[in-house]
Amino acid sequence: IWQFRDDPAVVHFMAQFVAKFSGSRQVFDGIEFYLPQIAHMIIHLEVDWDEAILERFALVIAQQSQHFALQLTWILQGAIEDYQPETVEGRPNPGYNQLFYHRCITLLSNIERCVVYGSPRSIELEKMYEKGDISRAEYEQMKLEDRLNNAREITTHGANFRNMVQRVKNTNLPK
């Protein structure tokens, strides 16, 4: 994804494709292996297109795997400490970056929402599958669509990344 980071169509396609097949053990292992790089890209990518594409990708995977969500949470906690306005001693942090700090806070909050509350229809879908109303393949497809929809709803919370990026850039604060 990083190689084509300047092309939103490619990034969107890759994120959707990988999210779709993330249920496969091999694909998930690959995602997990590259998690630090994916997190870095989500936090630091500065482009003029909808950066929520990558956030939605992370949220879909986090809904599927608490292990992934926990690892991403740890990475974000570390980044929050790196970019927070003050050090733990209360002094100004020379590494403070308002944009990156807010991205980390927002993504961390959204991961918590996904993991704690889950996708809206997950219980309903499970009941339909248990009753035999839908096949296993239909259940998996509907579950993925529900996760994608949940991630989409969470990332379009009004103050999405693009608006936040623009606000931060307009404030002209030191990085």
Side-chain angles (χ1 to χ4, degrees), residues 4 23 31 47 51 66 80 87 91 94-95 102 114 121 126-127 130 143 147 149 152 155-156 166:
F4 300 102
I31 294 168
V47 291
E51 296 132 54
Q66 289 183 355
I80 287 168
T87 64
R91 291 187 224 120
H102 284 289
C114 280
R121 297 184 57 211
E126 193 172 322
K127 286 180 182 177
E130 288 172 355
K143 212 164 64 168
R147 288 180 184 141
N149 186 50
R152 195 174 305 111
T155 58
T156 55
Q166 198 57 49

Side-chain angles (χ1 to χ4, degrees), residues 43-44 46 78-87 91-105 164 167-169 171-175:
I43 295 166
H44 297 101
E46 292 191 44
I80 287 168
E81 288 182 23
D82 289 345
Y83 300 122
Q84 66 190 355
E86 295 180 349
T87 64
R91 291 187 224 120
N93 181 1
Y96 172 61
N97 184 304
Q98 184 181 17
L99 175 62
F100 299 161
Y101 178 72
H102 284 289
R103 279 185 182 170
C104 293
I105 295 290
M164 180 184 59
R167 280 195 316 273
V168 170
K169 285 181 179 178
T171 61
N172 295 321
L173 294 176
K175 292 185 177 184

Side-chain angles (χ1 to χ4, degrees), residues 112-168:
E112 289 173 0
R113 285 175 61 189
C114 280
V115 172
V116 171
Y117 300 112
S119 58
R121 297 184 57 211
S122 60
I123 294 172
E124 177 186 346
L125 290 173
E126 193 172 322
K127 286 180 182 177
M128 290 171 64
Y129 173 67
E130 288 172 355
K131 286 199 279 184
D133 294 341
I134 55 176
S135 69
R136 179 76 179 169
E138 290 170 325
Y139 171 69
E140 292 298 329
Q141 181 62 36
M142 292 170 103
K143 212 164 64 168
L144 175 62
E145 290 300 322
D146 191 40
R147 288 180 184 141
L148 289 168
N149 186 50
N150 191 33
R152 195 174 305 111
E153 285 179 17
I154 287 173
T155 58
T156 55
H157 44 69
N160 64 21
F161 274 159
R162 187 177 198 146
N163 293 337
M164 180 184 59
V165 169
Q166 198 57 49
R167 280 195 316 273
V168 170

